[in-house]
Amino acid sequence: MHRTLILGLLSVFILGGAARGQPGDHDARPEGIVIEHAEIVLGANESHPPRAFVSIWNGTSSSIDIVSIASNSLGRASLRATVHADGVSRIRTVTGAMVIPPHSELVMKPDGVHVLFNQPTPSVSDLASVDILVDLADGTSVGAKAKVLPDGSPVTDHHHGEGDGSGSD
């Protein structure tokens, strides 16, 4: 049952992210796989690991499977999804690969799909950004710089054409 809820939630974030924009927003989008936006929100203190929120565009004609996300500065991470059932919200680990359909976008949010790094890393609090790497099932990877934000910071609401502050609309 939990797997069904997680898969349903993932499809809302993936397909909803691609459909949310104005008509034509994705017409000029690049072919290939692009990390369009990435932010790391630090934990409240040294015992709380940081979380990452990433927007990934799949501009290929095939589905892609995300198998892992890591950072040299933060180590390995796990994908998490907030699942709402019977009026209760629970965070579950996403097991297996996360699929992004062709010409679709995955937009991670605090109350949805996000990345949790496996250990606290106080040393990154002094950095403006860290490198992240998304590994795909076909053996390729795509990387980007993720902006480091203090605990409690709101993440950017990623909308195309609205100047979301990431430097790439």
Side-chain angles (χ1 to χ4, degrees), residues 38-41 50-54 69 74 77 79 108-110 113-117 132 146 155:
E39 294 175 325
I40 306 281
V41 178
R51 296 176 298 151
F53 305 95
V54 184
I69 296 179
L74 297 166
L79 289 167
M108 297 183 188
K109 302 264 185 195
V113 176
H114 60 276
V115 176
L116 181 68
F117 286 92
I132 61 167
V155 295

Side-chain angles (χ1 to χ4, degrees), residues 5 27 52 83 98 100 111 115 129 146 164 166-167 169:
L5 289 172
D27 292 346
V83 178
M98 176 178 288
I100 303 177
D111 192 30
V115 176
S129 65
D164 64 8
S166 69
D169 291 328

